[in-house]
Amino acid sequence: MRTQFFDKRSFIQNVRDSLKNMYRKTLEEASQQEIFQAVSYAVKEDINDRWLATQRTFDSRKPKIVYYMSMEFLVGRALGNNLINLQYYKDVQDALREIGLNLNELEDQEPDPALGNGGLGRLAACFLDSLSTLGYGVYGCGIRYRYGMFRQKIDGGFQVETPDPWLKDGYPFEMRRPEYRYEVKFGGYVREESDLDGRTRFVQDGYQSIIAVPYDMPIVGYGNNMVNTLIIWDAEAKERFELDSFDKGDYMKAVEQQNLARNLVEVLYPNDNHVLGKELRLKQQYFFVSASVQRALERYKRQNGDIRRLPEKVTFQMNDTHPTVAVAELMRILLDEERLGWEEAWDITTRTCAYTNHTIMAEALEKWPIEIFQRLLPRIYQIVEEIHRRFLIKVREAYPGDENKVAKMAILYDGQVRMANLAIVAGYSVNGVARLHTEILKNEQLHDFYEMFPEKFNNKTNGITQRRFLLHGNPLLAEWISERIGKDWITDLAKISRLAPYAYDKRAQKEFMEIKYRNKVRLAKYIKEHNGIEVDPNSIFDVQVKRLHEYKRQLLNILHVMHLYNELRANPEMDFHPKTYIFGAKAAAGYKNAKTTIKLINSVAEVVNNDPSINGKLKVVFIEDYRVSNAELIFAAADVSEQISTASKEASGTGNMKFMLNGALTLGTMDGANVEIVEEVGAQNAFIFGMSSEEVIAHEHNRDYQPMEIYNNDPDVRRVLNQLVDGTFSPNDRELFRDLYNSLLNTRCTQYADTYFILKDFHSYMEAQKRVMEYYKDESAWAGSAILNVAHSGKFSSDRTIQQYVDEIWHLDRVTVDLPRRW
């Protein structure tokens, strides 16, 4: 139900007034970017009314609030999503059309805020959307990165990292809040002094200060007047300009402190292959965590007073290990500022902090060199050291004589601070993000902790917001669904199951495939404009878009494309439905094999797309700078969803859910949330291949996998691997892909050859791809399976996930926001 009346005339006048006040221009004189800004400010005026009403409701009701701490928030463009959640999208579209403007073109003027990179950040954004829509209070807490991770350019097939200046024109959906600035301290030393009552007080001296200044971004709930807040912290120097140094001619020193502050917020995930990079990452994490905890406690005390009752009103949810320093920062404030004793402070902390684990990969469980940690955060290190000391006493009491267990569970060990161990020890909840992932954590990666704290461990299978990835991203399909089953699915995705009977309706199947075709035409146009490649919308769109990591096995995909190319070259008349393989991925700047894989994909594309002998039956496309805005086009157009990670390595995945929601069939391993997707939709409506997680884990334990045997005995594998080093796809440099070749066969290159079992799963993958092509020939059967995928996607809404967090971890109070009529 709409919560307010939309007045078209008032809105148009508001846009005109904004242009006059901001740019001293009329509508006819303004650029598209200026009009986008004016429209956004007009929309933001309405948002601000709801935002104020939400804050007043919080002040009067004093509900429990979750502070969702994350290094990433991949929020995507805000204008369209805000209009959808305000339920004004079509009204604004019509109003703008009346004055000669196109809303879709204005949406394209908005940059994707460069506040995240991958699934971790997009999940955080979906969670904020769901919390607002469901009526729960949340503050997202992150960093206002000036340039994000990077903007990806493809130059000669290679990834080139360039700054992403998303703030260059200003961002209309943020609000600077300097009244909530906080000091964050780095370095120096800790001295002890005595209070008047004889108690020891710890004081940090000789430190360097950075001032954290928040920018608030609104998170609009769907149709309910609630607007929550994403706080992104900017960094400023305590003394921004030293006039004395300037007057003496030392111009660099005059702005030195401001430059040091700016470095903290320039980029997401600075390269940490060197000491300075590690220091910067740790400083980033403490910077936003310290500011967020200080803000949360100040707000709590203003409303509630007694700090001892903090867990009744506040939860800090740590999204992966990056914000784990929140544990020690909360302890620091309780001990040093609130003057509580250790036991009381620890009791409050362990009932306030909760931890979400997002990875099975050991390298992603953050560990910091003690030397760096202690030097940058001296008081925080003292507290971590004491947590560690007290915890090991309990471990030794529980497992006397088992020093092996002590070594595995210690927070400080081998010269490192183990952040995941700290999060588990301090957190009152430890959750995985898919059922398989959680079981592997309990039985393998974190088994010792599960054995000691079984009550902490639980599963919360990830989800996505259908409002972003169907209602906004695929309006043709969304409208078709609503015409058949109503609009309840927008806020209750379980209701989409009502679509299932249409999977067997011939007319519905035809309509569904026509919508898919139109979405493929839309994506084909994007590819032509950005890549210069003509792709056939009648071909199978086989898509793999996600962060590039070896365990996600983009290499397996492109090796199979090379195999198909070989087959077509040898048998030009073979029965082959045209296929377009679409890739999109960013590789971390320092991740050599991942970046080489991007080059390989583009090199294969260069050869395949320009070979007239295969008559356009096979095309390969790498979409540059994969992000939320082009992801919406991709998900809507995909026929096949490539979810081919090595079984047991993917925690959950959420791209798999977005593809499913848009009617793509999963081609994947039984890994992460794929397991639950197959359970929901049925194995007959997906294409599963490869080893199970149990088989992979067994090979890793036994160390009995020999990829060279496969190379020696399988001519298909041998041929594509040889093509990596024989110049087929790199005629000017045969050694270009040598590292990839070595990673699959040469044990001197990695700890184990073919660490992610690409060759082991190659033939199973090849057979699954054949099943895809054969099944696609039956358009009615394919359409039926695609509709069933949509109809069975209800479990994978982030609304469901958040409700489980609320019921089982956070125990929040639902809030109703009332708003006087305005427009």
Side-chain angles (χ1 to χ4, degrees):
M1 174 179 278
R2 293 187 48 148
T3 55
Q4 284 190 289
F5 175 75
F6 179 83
D7 186 328
K8 185 193 304 183
R9 297 296 161 214
S10 295
F11 177 78
I12 292 172
Q13 188 59 47
N14 204 340
V15 172
R16 293 184 185 276
D17 289 345
S18 294
L19 282 171
K20 180 180 69 174
N21 295 330
M22 294 169 65
Y23 301 109
R24 205 184 62 190
K25 290 183 179 181
T26 65
L27 191 64
E28 293 69 30
E29 297 169 324
S31 68
Q32 286 287 92
Q33 173 60 214
E34 290 165 342
I35 295 170
F36 155 72
Q37 295 276 347
V39 169
S40 296
Y41 275 102
V43 172
K44 188 177 173 184
E45 274 201 33
D46 190 62
I47 291 173
N48 284 344
D49 286 343
R50 300 160 189 257
W51 213 350
L52 280 167
T54 301
Q55 291 302 312
R56 291 194 189 106
T57 302
F58 287 173
D59 288 343
S60 62
R61 290 276 310 276
K62 298 181 175 58
K64 186 175 184 180
I65 300 289
V66 59
Y67 290 82
Y68 196 84
M69 296 188 169
S70 180
M71 283 294 287
E72 299 185 41
F73 288 93
L74 197 60
V75 292
R77 293 171 174 170
L79 176 58
N81 200 68
N82 285 339
L83 287 173
I84 278 178
N85 283 4
L86 291 168
Q87 297 180 291
Y88 290 161
Y89 191 91
K90 289 187 177 179
D91 295 315
V92 169
Q93 192 173 46
D94 291 343
L96 294 174
R97 188 182 296 117
E98 191 172 298
I99 55 176
L101 298 172
N102 184 303
L103 178 56
N104 290 335
E105 292 177 1
L106 292 179
E107 286 187 71
D108 286 340
Q109 290 295 312
E110 181 178 358
D112 283 51
L115 303 175
N117 172 50
L120 183 78
R122 185 53 236 176
L123 180 78
C126 285
F127 279 6
L128 297 188
D129 178 277
S130 288
L131 280 156
S132 292
T133 296
L134 293 173
Y136 297 112
V138 63
Y139 287 92
C141 304
I143 295 177
R144 185 176 181 260
Y145 303 104
R146 296 176 189 274
Y147 300 109
M149 190 159 111
F150 56 80
R151 177 175 289 176
Q152 183 190 57
K153 297 289 185 184
I154 301 299
D155 186 357
F158 291 96
Q159 170 181 290
V160 177
E161 301 90 25
T162 65
D164 187 353
W166 69 285
L167 291 166
K168 67 182 178 66
D169 295 311
Y171 192 66
F173 293 106
E174 68 173 9
M175 183 181 297
R176 188 171 184 267
R177 304 297 301 275
E179 68 271 32
Y180 297 120
R181 58 176 56 217
Y182 297 95
E183 184 178 24
V184 181
K185 302 174 182 178
F186 296 100
Y189 60 93
V190 179
R191 62 180 174 81
E192 297 181 16
E193 63 180 27
S194 296
D195 282 344
L196 294 176
D197 60 4
R199 294 177 59 190
T200 301
R201 178 183 178 88
F202 295 89
V203 179
Q204 188 172 347
D205 275 340
Y207 54 83
Q208 180 186 67
S209 282
I210 300 292
I211 303 301
V213 179
Y215 284 70
D216 289 354
M217 295 176 66
I219 307 297
V220 181
Y222 182 85
N224 66 353
N225 293 326
M226 177 168 270
V227 180
N228 276 306
T229 304
L230 169 59
I231 304 170
I232 48 175
W233 295 95
D234 199 3
E236 296 180 0
K238 193 171 183 179
E239 298 294 334
R240 302 184 68 177
F241 185 78
E242 295 182 15
L243 183 60
D244 181 61
S245 296
F246 188 87
D247 286 342
K248 292 176 180 177
D250 194 346
Y251 305 128
M252 294 298 294
K253 184 171 178 55
V255 294
E256 179 183 35
Q257 292 303 309
Q258 182 61 15
N259 289 337
L260 287 171
R262 287 179 62 93
N263 286 341
L264 271 184
V265 294
E266 296 283 35
V267 298
L268 167 67
Y269 300 143
N271 192 339
D272 63 351
N273 289 345
H274 47 77
V275 171
L276 290 178
K278 286 183 171 63
E279 290 182 0
L280 182 54
R281 280 210 191 190
L282 179 58
K283 289 174 76 172
Q284 283 185 328
Q285 291 178 11
Y286 182 65
F287 165 75
F288 94 88
V289 163
S290 176
S292 300
V293 173
Q294 289 183 68
R295 175 75 185 103
L297 294 193
E298 181 182 297
R299 182 184 176 279
Y300 168 83
K301 289 173 68 177
R302 175 173 56 83
Q303 291 190 342
N304 301 279
D306 186 0
I307 197 69
R308 291 167 177 81
R309 302 184 68 176
L310 181 70
E312 297 175 19
K313 294 294 183 179
V314 169
T315 283
F316 294 119
Q317 185 67 38
M318 301 178 294
N319 191 32
D320 217 352
T321 53
H322 309 122
T324 300
V325 72
V327 170
E329 176 66 2
L330 179 55
M331 285 290 291
R332 181 192 69 80
I333 294 173
L334 295 176
L335 292 168
D336 297 351
E337 298 180 15
E338 298 298 328
R339 309 302 289 139
L340 300 183
W342 181 276
E343 296 296 344
E344 197 169 25
W346 184 244
D347 176 68
I348 293 169
T349 298
T350 55
R351 290 188 293 122
T352 304
C353 295
Y355 165 53
T356 299
N357 176 283
H358 281 279
T359 183
I360 298 162
M361 307 296 291
E363 77 250 25
L365 298 174
E366 281 190 310
K367 304 175 185 68
W368 294 109
I370 286 176
E371 186 276 325
I372 292 175
F373 197 99
Q374 187 175 25
R375 173 164 45 83
L376 292 180
L377 309 174
R379 178 59 179 144
I380 294 298
Y381 178 75
Q382 286 183 341
I383 292 168
V384 171
E385 195 172 42
E386 182 63 10
I387 294 171
H388 162 81
R389 186 189 70 80
R390 290 172 180 246
F391 175 60
L392 287 196
I393 291 172
K394 293 183 177 180
V395 174
R396 289 188 170 105
E397 287 174 352
Y399 307 100
D402 192 345
E403 289 303 304
N404 182 53
K405 192 174 288 286
V406 169
K408 287 190 288 185
M409 299 179 73
I411 297 168
L412 304 177
Y413 187 77
D414 199 21
Q416 295 179 316
V417 184
R418 295 162 161 180
M419 302 307 282
N421 292 16
L422 176 61
I424 297 166
V425 171
Y428 69 87
S429 170
V430 177
N431 74 278
V433 292
R435 192 175 66 240
L436 175 62
H437 166 233
T438 302
E439 291 305 307
I440 291 173
L441 291 179
K442 286 156 58 173
N443 297 321
E444 297 285 337
Q445 196 76 32
L446 304 178
H447 177 70
D448 295 297
F449 287 100
Y450 175 65
E451 190 176 61
M452 188 169 183
F453 305 117
E455 71 285 353
K456 292 188 179 188
F457 283 76
N458 60 94
N459 177 59
K460 300 291 173 283
T461 297
N462 282 344
I464 59 171
T465 170
Q466 64 270 25
R467 293 167 288 279
R468 164 74 72 174
F469 291 104
L470 182 51
L471 188 58
H472 183 262
N474 195 345
L476 294 175
L477 182 58
E479 185 175 4
W480 183 82
I481 292 169
S482 295
E483 287 172 354
R484 276 144 194 82
I485 65 170
K487 295 185 176 182
D488 288 351
W489 62 270
I490 297 172
T491 53
D492 184 0
L493 193 59
K495 298 287 177 60
I496 208 166
S497 63
R498 297 171 182 169
L499 197 64
Y502 290 96
Y504 309 99
D505 182 296
K506 296 296 183 184
R507 180 178 175 183
Q509 291 174 355
K510 185 175 180 180
E511 291 170 347
F512 184 92
M513 293 304 285
E514 174 60 24
I515 289 169
K516 179 65 73 172
Y517 177 78
R518 289 171 66 184
N519 284 326
K520 291 167 78 172
V521 169
R522 181 176 67 162
L523 181 58
K525 180 183 177 184
Y526 179 92
I527 290 170
K528 177 63 176 175
E529 290 174 355
H530 292 81
N531 293 72
I533 300 171
E534 295 269 6
V535 299
D536 180 6
N538 289 303
S539 67
I540 300 171
F541 278 19
D542 184 305
V543 183
Q544 187 177 19
V545 287
K546 54 183 73 239
R547 177 172 61 91
L548 210 148
H549 192 288
E550 287 167 283
Y551 84 82
K552 294 177 184 288
R553 300 203 295 189
Q554 286 91 346
L555 183 55
L556 171 61
N557 191 341
I558 197 62
L559 288 174
H560 174 257
V561 172
M562 292 160 58
H563 166 74
L564 285 182
Y565 176 64
N566 293 335
E567 292 280 289
L568 282 170
R569 291 270 295 174
N571 306 287
E573 303 305 317
M574 67 183 287
D575 184 16
F576 189 92
H577 189 98
K579 290 196 78 173
T580 300
Y581 284 88
I582 298 171
F583 296 83
K586 289 183 178 180
Y591 194 169
K592 185 178 179 183
N593 273 10
K595 294 178 75 170
T596 305
T597 301
I598 289 175
K599 172 58 177 172
L600 175 62
I601 292 167
N602 284 299
S603 294
V604 171
E606 181 70 19
V607 172
V608 169
N609 297 343
N610 293 291
D611 188 339
S613 73
I614 61 173
N615 199 26
K617 291 181 179 179
L618 182 64
K619 290 287 180 75
V620 181
V621 176
F622 187 93
I623 292 181
E624 182 181 77
D625 202 35
Y626 174 62
R627 57 196 186 278
V628 175
S629 54
N630 58 25
E632 293 179 19
L633 306 180
I634 295 166
F635 293 132
D639 294 306
V640 178
S641 164
E642 294 262 2
Q643 308 298 328
I644 60 176
S645 56
T646 309
S648 80
K649 303 305 177 191
E650 186 72 83
S652 169
T654 53
N656 45 10
M657 302 168 189
K658 294 159 195 165
F659 282 114
M660 182 190 194
L661 181 65
N662 284 274
L665 276 62
T666 298
L667 166 61
T669 54
M670 291 297 273
D671 194 26
N674 293 354
V675 175
E676 292 163 76
I677 286 174
V678 171
E679 286 178 359
E680 294 297 308
V681 76
Q684 69 275 21
N685 297 303
F687 305 94
I688 300 302
F689 75 96
M691 290 190 293
S692 68
S693 58
E694 293 83 4
E695 289 173 314
V696 169
I697 291 169
H699 278 303
E700 290 174 334
H701 284 176
N702 298 330
R703 301 186 182 185
D704 58 359
Y705 171 49
Q706 299 295 329
M708 187 61 77
E709 291 182 5
I710 297 173
Y711 173 85
N712 288 333
N713 296 310
D714 188 325
D716 293 326
V717 167
R718 188 164 59 251
R719 184 174 187 188
V720 294
L721 260 63
N722 287 346
Q723 286 177 327
L724 292 175
V725 292
D726 69 5
T728 301
F729 299 103
S730 55
N732 298 320
D733 183 1
R734 292 189 173 200
E735 295 301 303
L736 183 59
F737 304 119
R738 174 68 66 178
D739 286 345
L740 297 180
Y741 176 90
N742 286 344
S743 73
L744 297 172
L745 293 177
N746 185 351
T747 56
R748 290 176 298 174
C749 181
T750 57
Q751 185 178 5
Y752 307 108
D754 194 13
T755 306
Y756 299 109
F757 301 94
I758 288 173
L759 305 190
K760 185 75 171 175
D761 278 348
F762 185 84
H763 256 279
S764 179
Y765 179 60
M766 186 171 71
E767 292 303 315
Q769 286 278 10
K770 289 178 181 177
R771 298 200 306 273
V772 169
M773 191 170 292
E774 189 63 30
Y775 195 53
Y776 196 80
K777 293 176 184 176
D778 187 341
E779 183 173 301
S780 175
W782 186 277
S785 289
I787 293 171
L788 285 173
N789 267 271
V790 178
H792 288 92
S793 62
K795 174 179 178 177
F796 302 107
S797 170
S798 51
D799 297 346
R800 185 269 315 155
T801 311
I802 285 300
Q803 193 58 54
Q804 287 186 317
Y805 273 95
V806 167
D807 292 342
E808 300 169 22
I809 300 177
W810 299 333
H811 307 294
L812 305 180
D813 312 303
R814 185 174 264 126
V815 174
T816 300
V817 178
D818 295 318
L819 182 69
R821 174 172 159 175
R822 179 174 172 270
W823 277 356

